[in-house]
Amino acid sequence: VQARQVTALISHLNDVLTQQLLALKAARHGVALQRLCWLALGSEGRSEQTIATDQDNALILPDDVTPQEQAAALAFGRDVNQALDACGYPLCKGGIMAGEPGCCLTLREWRERFAGWIDHGAPQDLLNASIYFDFRALAGDAVLAETLRTEVVEAARRTPRFLKQMALNAIAHSAPLNWLGGIDADDQGTVDLKLQGTAIFVDAARLYALAHGLPVLGTRARLEAAGPLMHVAAHESEAWVTGFEFLQMLRLQVQIGGASTPANPNLIDTNTLNDIDLRMLKETIRIARRLQQRMGLDYQR
């Protein structure tokens, strides 16, 4: 089974579980789901969750929400977050959850927040905010999310400064290749398959999708849609997709096989790879570096 099928299945199971929890908790709190929209963010928003994952979610409330409704929605979100934690989805250490005041906002407040990131965000602000640009409606009034997405994609597309800042963030962590062209592992021989691997493709796909006004979410779909608009040869954009999915499969193998460390489930010991996988990893990292070089040429000027 290919990595995208596994991650799509994992994400789907998370969706179904969350939707059931939302229905149960909404009834308990007296919250009308049609009066809000529950958002999946980050890897779940892109339907790319792996085995080791925490929760990233948010709530959009209508602009005519009453203070009582907003307080009830916040308590509802907090309860769902705790229930997801009990079901095996750890709380987000960064606090990006619907039960946090900063993630339970009206549509107008979300508009203002995205406008601030796009129009005035510093690199560190956008680094922290990138996960929010991968939002997907999971339950409730999907029109709230669709309205926000249309505005966000269009605003991003016509703001060169924002795209340049995103590109600078995307190339800040360079692909792990040493000056000899080999894999630049740490002293223990390990590489972070997420931070030093899939994140490069995820960030590039998000950047180019926003730059071309594409509303698609998944990394594969974004790269496939953006490639022709970037006038990239098909074999090059196909290599991006193949490289991303190879890294995703390695992450899954590490997490399922129990070879990951508790502190970081995305570390792989390159000494454990067979010759073919090692060569494929090296070539995938080279592809990631070329993709970063393209972003630099496109946006560092």
Side-chain angles (χ1 to χ4, degrees):
V1 180
Q2 296 186 357
R4 67 176 181 272
Q5 296 168 314
V6 179
T7 54
L9 176 60
I10 293 170
S11 301
H12 172 68
L13 292 173
N14 189 10
D15 286 355
V16 174
L17 182 144
T18 303
Q19 288 163 348
Q20 179 71 353
L21 281 175
L22 289 169
L24 292 170
K25 296 298 184 180
R28 179 174 299 176
H29 285 265
V31 169
L33 286 178
Q34 66 269 23
R35 287 278 294 165
L36 51 80
C37 182
W38 183 277
L39 299 178
L41 307 176
S43 60
E44 187 190 358
R46 300 189 306 271
S47 296
E48 293 170 358
Q49 283 193 306
T50 57
I51 298 295
T53 184
D54 61 3
Q55 51 177 298
D56 298 300
N57 44 60
L59 277 170
I60 306 179
L61 308 177
D63 289 335
D64 63 352
V65 66
T66 67
Q68 294 77 15
E69 286 178 315
Q70 190 154 13
L74 186 62
F76 159 70
R78 190 175 299 116
D79 198 5
V80 174
N81 291 149
Q82 294 294 336
L84 283 168
D85 182 50
C87 289
Y89 296 92
L91 298 173
C92 174
K93 294 179 181 179
I96 304 176
M97 295 178 292
E100 297 292 329
C103 293
C104 181
L105 305 174
T106 65
L107 178 59
R108 177 182 57 79
E109 289 170 332
W110 278 116
R111 283 168 164 158
E112 292 173 352
R113 195 172 188 189
F114 275 100
W117 285 328
I118 293 172
D119 295 336
H120 310 293
Q124 186 60 42
D125 296 329
L126 296 184
L127 185 63
N128 297 332
S130 61
I131 190 173
Y132 290 96
F133 286 84
D134 297 340
F135 66 85
R136 172 170 60 91
L138 190 56
D141 184 3
V143 174
L144 292 169
E146 292 165 5
T147 300
L148 184 62
R149 176 167 305 287
T150 299
E151 295 179 4
V152 166
V153 170
E154 176 56 25
R157 184 191 64 79
R158 54 181 169 78
T159 311
R161 175 190 172 281
F162 165 74
L163 298 174
K164 180 177 181 177
Q165 298 278 30
M166 288 201 79
L168 292 176
N169 283 339
I171 61 180
H173 293 284
S174 58
L177 285 179
N178 59 35
W179 65 279
L180 291 174
I183 298 175
D184 189 18
D186 63 18
D187 293 340
Q188 287 71 46
T190 63
V191 170
D192 189 323
L193 293 172
K194 181 178 179 180
L195 181 63
Q196 299 174 289
T198 57
I200 295 173
F201 294 93
V202 169
D203 289 345
R206 182 190 301 113
L207 168 66
Y208 285 115
L210 289 172
H212 292 282
L214 300 171
V216 290
L217 282 176
T219 300
R220 178 190 179 94
R222 282 170 165 172
L223 293 174
E224 289 177 337
L229 299 177
M230 296 164 62
H231 306 292
V232 170
H235 67 82
E236 184 175 354
S237 59
E238 288 168 3
W240 298 341
V241 172
T242 301
F244 169 70
E245 294 191 341
F246 172 72
L247 291 172
Q248 286 284 75
M249 183 56 75
L250 279 186
R251 289 178 67 195
L252 288 165
Q253 289 173 351
V254 169
Q255 293 171 11
I256 294 172
S260 61
T261 62
N264 187 345
N266 296 295
L267 285 182
I268 189 168
D269 184 349
T270 57
N271 297 310
T272 65
L273 294 174
N274 62 49
D275 288 347
I276 293 177
D277 283 345
L278 189 60
R279 291 180 183 180
M280 289 183 65
L281 178 59
K282 185 184 297 184
E283 184 57 34
T284 297
I285 294 173
R286 287 175 179 166
I287 292 169
R289 182 171 66 175
R290 289 199 295 269
L291 182 54
Q292 287 186 313
Q293 290 170 339
R294 171 176 284 275
M295 286 188 283
L297 289 172
D298 288 344
Y299 293 103
Q300 271 192 306
R301 291 171 293 180

